[in-house]
Amino acid sequence: MVTRLLATKLYPEFIKIPVSRRRLIETTQAFEELTSLPNMCGAIDGSPIKVKCGDNEGNVYKCRYGYSSVLLQVVADHKKMFWDVCVKAPGGSDDASHLRESLLYNRLVSGDVVWDKVIDVRGHHVRPYIVGDWCYPLLSFLMTPFSPNGSGTPAQNLFDGMLMKGRSVVVDAIALLKGRWKILQDLNVGLHHAPQTIVACCVLHNLCQIAREPEPETWKDPDEGGVPVRVLENEKSFHYFGDSLRQALTEDLHQRLSSR
């Protein structure tokens, strides 16, 4: 099994959830300038990191691209800096399962993390939320697209386009991470040392972003497919509230942009 490693515990000064009001305002305003969606505070995605596995490790480490890997989950802000990093699953896991095993998910579900920047959108109290693609469940703190193929209504497709524009920051951040630290393209360390190495690279990535180091040529994962993920029984209340919030955000966005 992959060693459970959470960067927020090991490197709290370099990778930390934006909970201060000042940082939340800066982050949400920057995302709103990019997407026209209010109170977005981050974008989440997973990426397989290629590793060396023994013959007895089985297929649990085989990722969707066919090679042995461990799964990296990150949340990035508008500056392409990671504010949450988790390396907790073998490459054969899916993004939703990895999320549900993460400390971030458990803190958000339990109410341990409460963002106090609340805004009103069509009568709904909207707290800061993160965005992801259709590989993640729609929840009150995680907005996802209506459709992976643009088959929704005009208002839904507009929302999806803006959401995916916000999500692009984490795709770009991962591509920059792998371009900057080429060791992550084919990690030549044992499984027990892989998580520490990956997290260290994420910390160094953030330091480079803070220092505004020149950005190297990026290395992007192939586009991923998939279908919308199933919502678990214990998530239904979060999903119901998330669905209501998404609809309110969609109607508000469509009305504002249509009236321009």
Side-chain angles (χ1 to χ4, degrees):
M1 290 296 294
V2 175
T3 302
R4 294 190 170 193
L5 190 61
L6 305 166
T8 47
K9 288 202 167 196
L10 292 180
Y11 303 98
E13 66 272 38
F14 300 120
I15 298 177
K16 52 188 174 183
I17 297 174
V19 291
S20 72
R21 187 165 183 81
R22 180 178 178 182
R23 189 176 171 202
L24 272 176
I25 289 173
E26 176 192 351
T27 303
T28 56
Q29 284 182 345
F31 272 112
E32 186 165 2
E33 289 175 8
L34 176 65
T35 68
S36 297
L37 290 170
N39 247 16
M40 185 186 301
C41 70
I44 187 170
D45 201 12
S47 180
I49 305 295
K50 190 174 182 180
V51 294
K52 307 294 184 186
C53 285
D55 295 335
N56 60 342
E57 299 293 350
N59 291 325
V60 69
Y61 287 94
K62 289 281 176 134
C63 70
R64 56 185 173 268
Y65 306 124
Y67 53 80
S68 296
S69 65
V70 294
L71 195 57
L72 166 67
Q73 174 187 285
V74 293
V75 182
D77 68 10
H78 60 291
K79 296 178 180 178
K80 293 183 282 191
M81 290 179 58
F82 304 126
W83 59 251
D84 189 79
V85 175
C86 181
V87 186
K88 202 173 180 181
S93 299
D94 59 85
D95 288 340
S97 297
H98 195 195
L99 168 68
R100 288 164 175 148
E101 287 293 315
S102 69
L103 177 62
L104 175 65
Y105 175 87
N106 287 291
R107 292 186 69 187
L108 290 169
V109 167
S110 68
D112 183 45
V113 174
V114 178
W115 287 302
D116 65 355
K117 183 179 177 288
V118 183
I119 62 171
D120 182 87
V121 178
R122 293 181 168 255
H124 291 75
H125 291 157
V126 180
R127 293 186 181 275
Y129 55 88
I130 60 177
V131 297
D133 63 14
W134 45 87
C135 295
Y136 292 97
L138 170 65
L139 302 168
S140 56
F141 51 82
L142 173 52
M143 294 290 105
T144 61
F146 285 94
S147 168
N149 55 17
S151 60
T153 67
Q156 289 173 346
N157 291 339
L158 174 62
F159 174 85
D160 286 357
M162 291 302 187
L163 181 146
M164 295 302 282
K165 197 172 183 180
R167 176 187 172 266
S168 68
V169 301
V170 72
V171 175
D172 292 343
I174 292 171
L176 182 56
L177 171 75
K178 289 187 173 183
R180 188 170 262 153
W181 312 112
K182 292 182 171 54
I183 186 176
L184 297 180
Q185 296 174 24
D186 192 353
L187 198 55
N188 192 23
V189 299
L191 279 175
H192 292 294
H193 297 290
Q196 291 93 331
T197 304
I198 295 166
V199 171
C201 289
C202 291
V203 171
L204 291 172
H205 165 87
N206 276 4
L207 291 174
C208 287
Q209 292 300 99
I210 292 170
R212 299 184 180 180
E213 289 289 324
E215 295 188 356
E217 183 178 351
T218 59
W219 193 94
K220 287 197 174 184
D221 293 325
D223 291 336
E224 57 185 325
V227 296
V229 68
R230 184 175 64 89
V231 176
L232 301 183
E233 187 67 31
N234 65 332
E235 294 174 334
K236 285 192 174 177
S237 61
F238 295 98
H239 175 74
Y240 177 80
F241 191 44
D243 190 48
S244 298
L245 292 181
R246 184 173 68 176
Q247 190 59 43
L249 289 167
T250 299
E251 293 172 1
D252 178 69
L253 177 69
H254 189 252
Q255 182 182 52
R256 284 188 288 110
L257 297 192
S258 297
S259 61
R260 289 182 180 177

